[in-house]
Amino acid sequence: MKLPLSWLKDYTDISASVKEYCDALTLSGSKVEGYEILGEDITNVVTAKVLKVEQHPNADKLKVCSVDAGEAEPLQIVTGAPNVFEGAHIVLAKNDSTLPGGIKIKKSALRGVESNGMMCSIEELGLTLNDVPYAPEYGILILAEDAPVGMDIREYLELSDQVVEFEITSNRPDCFSVIGLARESAATFERPFSVHEPKAEGTGASICDSFAVEVTAPDLCPRYCARMIKDVKIEPSPQWLARRLRAAGVRPINNIVDITNYVMLEYGQPMHAFDTAYLSGNKITVRRANEGEVITTLDETERKLDSSMLVIADAEKAVAVAGVMGGMNSEIQPTTKEVLFESALFDGTSVRLTSKKLGLRTEASGRYEKGLDYYNTVGAVNRACELVEQLGAGTVVAGMIDTAAPAPAARKIPFRPDAINRLLGISVSREEMEAIFARLGIVIDGDTVIPPSFRPDLEGEADLAEEVARFYGYDKIPSTLSSGTNLNAGKTPAQKNEDKLKSFMTAQGYSETLTYSFVSAKMYDKLNIPEADTIRNYIRIANPLGEDTAIMRTVALGSLMEAIATNVHYRSPKVSLFELANVYLPKALPLTELPEERRHLVFAQYGEGDYYTVKGLVEELANRFTLGTLTFKPEAEHPSFHPGRTASVYIGEQYLGVFGQIHPQVLVNYDIDVPVYAAELDFETMLAVNVPPMLYKALPRFPSMNRDLALIVDRDTTAADIEACIRRAGKKMLCDVQLFDVYQGKQIEEGKKSMAYSLVFRAEDRTLTDAEVNTAVERILKALSEMGATLR
């Protein structure tokens, strides 16, 4: 919201400098984005009078003029302006002057004749015909005959206003207006504040005798006010009104449209003007749109509506999208003779949804979305009529149509000064609080506070305390340390486990990365995941930023592969990355409830290491999180991993994840030309394991006995199956099993392989004998023979 300080002075007298003003408003809780001084880039430009015009001796299209700029001697100016004449009052940029856009004017010679400045057009001053309606479309700006000579043009054209820009939060719709900001300013500086009541009685028969308004959707339009103007004269607005609009960031158009914009800025109440010549049936109906109804809005765009949207219609058609934009079929034209002013209250949620569906945001919709004052509609439409009379833009018709639902009940909040002081940690008297509330228009009735209708944000005692704090002064509230008696600081067990995991991965040489949870559906194609795979049951975003962020991922590997591909393309020789990433698993599609959100640990590396490096890291993770013994099973069906160098990981019967070498085709899809090894594990499953308490054993008191076994087994037999068999048969005295050799060659039968194991036996209460160990070995060999293994 841009606030011209000259406009502010209509309601309160504040003499502070613009910087002091901005500092004070910031301290009282209004966020100031910055300020600008209009016309600051125009210097040494004055009003002047042309005394003499002569033809340039060396150029047919140039003239040499003698100009009175208020100095001791006339200045010689060379110009090519076709409309210059003797006696004309002009705008002159003298030597060493500046103009908008960083243009600098210096003394120069044009075709051999000295020129001590430049005559200016409206474009060179950064203005338009809407700002200076009397300016010619071509040529220099000719001022009025009574224009003084030598006056700074910023002063003459009122270009030197100071404008402060505020960031208005959505809970303060009252501050989306000059009056609202003036009220805040007056309260901040403790200055008087007043708003005159607009008066426009009107003449002739009442509007109610010739026009009607019907609201068929009162839930979406609690109040609709209308007044009529006859004998309208469409012309440019006077300079003062155009200047204020321009300073506030609104382009002047014509007097009627400018009045509606002026009132919207002043009162914060959006308004609309209809040309009644294009309204059929002398009636306005506020209704829900028909399904598929079409309207061409003022931006010349045809828009298709649905039944959730509210429209303003005449007897035949929709003429405006309520709260958003009017239609071209009733816009103000140069030939308009009769106007209907609309000042209405529309449901903010409805306006917001309509605006989003149509992709159309306007100044009006932005205000309606915040929630407006039920009582502001009457004052705004009367102010518009008052301006019509003041500008001589037409004749106001008597009466007003006011179709209103019952007014909302006044809110009441208990007023307990002691509770407010305890909450803030200060000591402010009841009288001081009452004075603050009075400056803000808040009524006090005994021990009850009644917030004004324009302050919907005041709902409870905490809101009242905020008002006291910001005008008492945040800088005056003492800083105190918490007593700590009720603190329950510290991280949750889940957070501690996350930190533990990240610390472990970092210690292994991995760098953490963060990727978006929203991805492209093409990711599944790049990961070779079949169309029918259930992992493709992802959630689509209703309003994605783009195709690359259109869905919520159900697998995290693809995001990390993008990061790996980026590093490969940057020619990094070796990279190890990990992420604790969120995936979103819908319980049903379309969604009937929130999806299951799970955290997956995904890590990948290239440049060093292999399959066994990743397997070792998974096993070490199990040790760090005391997950117990992991089970690894060959995984030849996973579409994203190499079919012969991949394994699934289980904790007991619980699936934990998968690891191995990335499939060559996936590497091609990501344009990666080096082997990549990766894993994706379910971190939620890791945390859900019932971890037994860690027990420590004393060092063994008795010696161990070792035996080595070299076995001939089928080539497809896995080391895990053999180890499991050995451990079952070895029972309690077998304390360790290690595979130390695998061999396939000429001495081994085709389709077979040799696997050599080292077995360690020990008893906790005695030294084992050879006989005991031999018995255990025989038992192990017998069990191995049952699965087809023979001693080599």
Side-chain angles (χ1 to χ4, degrees):
M1 174 75 188
K2 290 186 175 182
L3 174 65
L5 294 188
S6 63
W7 202 343
L8 174 75
K9 294 182 184 300
D10 287 359
Y11 312 100
T12 184
D13 180 22
I14 295 175
S15 59
S17 69
V18 64
K19 188 178 186 310
E20 291 171 339
Y21 175 82
C22 293
D23 291 344
L25 265 291
T26 298
L27 286 175
S28 67
S30 299
K31 189 175 187 307
V32 175
E33 287 287 289
Y35 69 87
E36 63 176 322
I37 300 175
L38 302 182
E40 195 172 25
D41 50 0
I42 300 176
T43 62
N44 206 22
V45 181
V46 299
T47 58
K49 181 178 181 180
V50 178
L51 302 177
K52 185 189 297 184
V53 179
E54 297 179 345
Q55 182 64 43
H56 193 290
N58 303 318
D60 294 339
K61 293 185 179 181
L62 296 179
K63 296 179 178 66
V64 181
C65 302
S66 177
V67 178
D68 179 8
E71 299 185 359
E73 296 292 334
L75 299 177
Q76 180 172 282
I77 305 295
V78 178
T79 181
N83 60 330
V84 66
F85 58 90
E86 290 184 4
H89 288 254
I90 62 166
V91 179
L92 179 66
K94 299 193 293 185
N95 181 40
D96 288 330
S97 61
T98 60
L99 294 171
I103 299 173
K104 296 181 179 180
I105 306 301
K106 297 283 187 180
K107 181 190 298 185
S108 61
L110 298 179
R111 301 294 293 271
V113 177
E114 184 180 84
S115 180
N116 294 291
M118 181 183 76
M119 299 181 187
C120 299
S121 65
I122 56 172
E123 291 83 0
E124 287 157 341
L125 294 173
L127 305 175
T128 68
L129 287 173
N130 291 315
D131 300 299
V132 190
Y134 53 81
E137 190 170 355
Y138 302 102
I140 60 173
L141 173 58
I142 305 297
L143 304 176
E145 293 182 0
D146 60 351
V149 172
M151 179 183 287
D152 190 313
I153 194 63
R154 293 177 300 176
E155 181 181 351
Y156 179 78
L157 292 180
E158 301 175 14
L159 297 177
S160 56
D161 204 351
Q162 298 168 325
V163 179
V164 179
E165 184 170 4
F166 291 88
E167 179 185 328
I168 309 299
T169 54
S170 58
N171 67 321
R172 291 299 304 274
D174 59 304
C175 287
F176 277 96
S177 67
V178 175
I179 291 176
L181 289 174
R183 183 184 292 108
E184 287 289 307
S185 302
T188 300
F189 287 93
E190 299 186 40
R191 300 294 299 167
F193 167 78
S194 63
V195 179
H196 88 282
E197 183 179 350
K199 297 186 182 299
E201 298 298 334
T203 59
S206 171
I207 181 179
C208 302
D209 297 335
S210 58
F211 213 88
V213 172
E214 180 185 10
V215 178
T216 63
D219 55 324
L220 302 183
C221 179
R223 192 167 197 178
Y224 192 98
C225 299
R227 294 200 68 172
M228 187 176 289
I229 312 297
K230 289 187 175 182
D231 305 322
V232 171
K233 292 176 285 187
I234 302 296
E235 56 190 12
S237 296
Q239 184 170 300
W240 67 267
L241 191 147
R243 288 287 177 272
R244 284 189 172 181
L245 289 179
R246 188 175 181 85
V250 177
R251 178 175 60 89
I253 298 174
N254 60 54
N255 52 358
I256 296 298
V257 175
D258 291 350
I259 284 171
T260 61
N261 287 333
Y262 188 91
V263 172
M264 178 182 70
L265 294 172
E266 187 177 37
Y267 278 69
Q269 171 65 48
M271 291 189 60
H272 189 67
F274 298 99
D275 186 335
T276 59
Y278 300 99
L279 297 180
S280 302
N282 290 334
K283 181 179 180 181
I284 284 288
T285 301
V286 185
R287 60 171 173 81
R288 285 178 166 83
N290 300 320
E291 198 68 36
E293 189 171 4
V294 175
I295 183 175
T296 301
T297 47
L298 287 172
D299 58 355
E300 301 183 8
T301 302
E302 188 177 275
R303 303 185 185 277
K304 188 174 182 180
L305 311 179
D306 62 46
S307 58
S308 69
M309 302 175 184
L310 190 70
V311 296
I312 312 302
D314 61 13
E316 300 175 354
K317 60 190 179 299
V319 293
V321 181
V324 181
M325 185 177 282
M328 285 194 68
N329 53 14
S330 61
E331 71 171 325
I332 304 301
Q333 305 279 357
T335 57
T336 297
K337 295 301 179 185
E338 187 175 270
V339 165
L340 182 76
F341 277 146
E342 165 195 281
S343 178
L345 179 63
F346 301 119
D347 178 70
T349 302
S350 172
V351 172
R352 170 65 175 161
L353 293 175
T354 299
S355 176
K356 284 185 64 178
K357 286 182 180 180
L358 297 179
L360 182 60
R361 295 272 295 172
T362 62
E363 285 280 346
S365 67
R367 284 170 165 78
Y368 278 119
E369 291 167 10
K370 310 299 186 296
L372 299 183
D373 183 3
Y374 176 91
Y375 297 98
N376 204 28
T377 55
V378 173
V381 73
N382 285 338
R383 174 59 169 158
C385 292
E386 182 182 61
L387 287 170
V388 167
E389 292 181 343
Q390 184 177 339
L391 271 56
T395 302
V396 179
V397 174
M400 175 176 65
I401 298 174
D402 185 4
T403 304
R411 284 163 289 134
K412 295 183 178 181
I413 304 172
F415 179 35
R416 300 185 301 164
D418 291 342
I420 292 175
N421 280 327
R422 284 196 302 272
L423 181 61
L424 298 176
I426 58 178
S427 180
V428 178
S429 67
R430 179 187 178 100
E431 290 72 21
E432 289 181 87
M433 293 185 188
E434 290 179 348
I436 290 172
F437 293 156
R439 300 204 302 268
L440 295 170
I442 299 172
V443 176
I444 299 175
D445 182 10
D447 291 332
T448 302
V449 167
I450 304 175
S453 59
F454 55 79
R455 290 296 303 274
D457 59 307
L458 300 181
E459 298 177 341
E461 271 189 312
D463 300 313
L464 298 180
E466 181 183 3
E467 299 303 294
V468 171
R470 66 194 187 95
F471 288 104
Y472 170 75
Y474 289 120
D475 54 327
K476 297 180 184 177
I477 298 177
S479 299
T480 57
L481 293 173
S482 173
S483 64
T485 54
N486 295 318
L487 292 181
N488 187 20
K491 294 186 176 181
T492 65
Q495 290 171 328
K496 291 178 180 178
N497 279 320
E498 288 183 18
D499 291 345
K500 180 179 176 182
L501 173 67
K502 292 177 181 180
S503 178
F504 169 76
M505 294 300 297
T506 303
Q508 303 305 310
Y510 283 76
S511 299
E512 185 178 8
T513 184
L514 296 173
T515 59
Y516 289 114
S517 298
F518 297 167
V519 298
S520 169
K522 295 178 181 177
M523 179 190 76
Y524 295 91
D525 297 330
K526 297 174 78 170
L527 290 175
N528 280 355
I529 296 176
E531 289 288 342
D533 199 308
T534 55
I535 203 69
R536 282 184 179 259
N537 292 337
Y538 45 70
I539 302 165
R540 288 193 173 275
I541 307 300
N543 54 340
L545 295 175
E547 185 59 32
D548 290 341
T549 54
I551 65 170
M552 300 176 73
R553 66 188 176 193
T554 57
V555 59
L557 179 62
S559 300
L560 197 64
M561 287 300 297
E562 293 285 357
I564 288 290
T566 298
N567 282 276
V568 170
H569 299 158
Y570 287 164
R571 301 188 181 280
S572 301
K574 58 181 181 180
V575 170
S576 299
L577 301 176
F578 82 95
E579 181 180 9
L580 190 57
N582 288 356
V583 297
Y584 304 87
L585 309 176
K587 299 173 184 177
L589 287 177
L591 285 178
T592 56
E593 57 182 313
L594 291 176
E596 181 182 9
E597 183 176 347
R598 298 188 70 85
R599 288 170 297 174
H600 280 191
L601 169 63
V602 57
F603 58 89
Q605 66 177 47
Y606 73 85
E608 62 180 5
D610 55 17
Y611 168 87
Y612 294 103
T613 305
V614 179
K615 180 175 182 287
L617 182 57
V618 173
E619 291 175 322
E620 186 58 26
L621 269 171
N623 291 335
R624 290 299 177 94
F625 284 86
T626 58
L627 301 181
T629 303
L630 298 181
T631 303
F632 300 98
K633 297 182 180 180
E635 177 61 77
E637 303 298 327
H638 199 293
S640 303
F641 286 87
H642 193 294
R645 301 171 187 171
T646 303
S648 296
V649 189
Y650 292 83
I651 304 174
E653 299 298 321
Q654 180 71 43
Y655 177 75
L656 179 62
V658 63
F659 72 89
Q661 182 176 343
I662 296 297
H663 197 289
Q665 183 57 49
V666 174
L667 296 181
V668 171
N669 295 342
Y670 282 97
D671 195 20
I672 298 174
D673 56 3
V674 294
V676 176
Y677 299 90
E680 182 164 354
L681 309 176
D682 192 327
F683 188 61
E684 304 286 349
T685 300
M686 292 174 60
L687 297 182
V689 172
N690 186 15
V691 180
M694 185 174 291
L695 300 178
Y696 294 90
K697 294 183 178 180
L699 292 173
R701 296 171 53 198
F702 299 97
S704 64
M705 299 186 69
N706 294 2
R707 294 288 189 274
D708 291 344
L709 298 178
L711 307 171
I712 302 296
V713 298
D714 291 337
R715 184 175 295 177
D716 295 336
T717 303
T718 65
D721 290 340
I722 295 176
E723 182 178 335
C725 179
I726 292 173
R727 288 187 180 277
R728 284 195 302 270
K731 297 185 179 178
K732 190 175 180 180
M733 70 173 61
L734 179 65
C735 59
D736 193 21
V737 179
Q738 293 291 336
L739 172 68
F740 66 87
D741 182 63
V742 178
Y743 173 75
Q744 297 179 59
K746 296 180 180 179
Q747 293 84 1
I748 304 299
E749 182 183 347
E750 184 69 26
K752 301 285 186 176
K753 62 182 176 182
S754 171
M755 303 183 73
Y757 285 86
S758 175
L759 283 58
V760 180
F761 297 89
R762 177 186 284 117
E764 295 182 359
D765 57 349
R766 67 187 188 283
T767 299
L768 293 174
T769 64
D770 285 340
E772 289 176 306
V773 173
N774 291 338
T775 300
V777 170
E778 290 174 1
R779 188 168 61 247
I780 290 170
L781 291 174
K782 181 179 179 182
L784 288 170
S785 67
E786 293 175 357
M787 61 179 298
T790 60
L791 195 63
R792 181 177 175 184

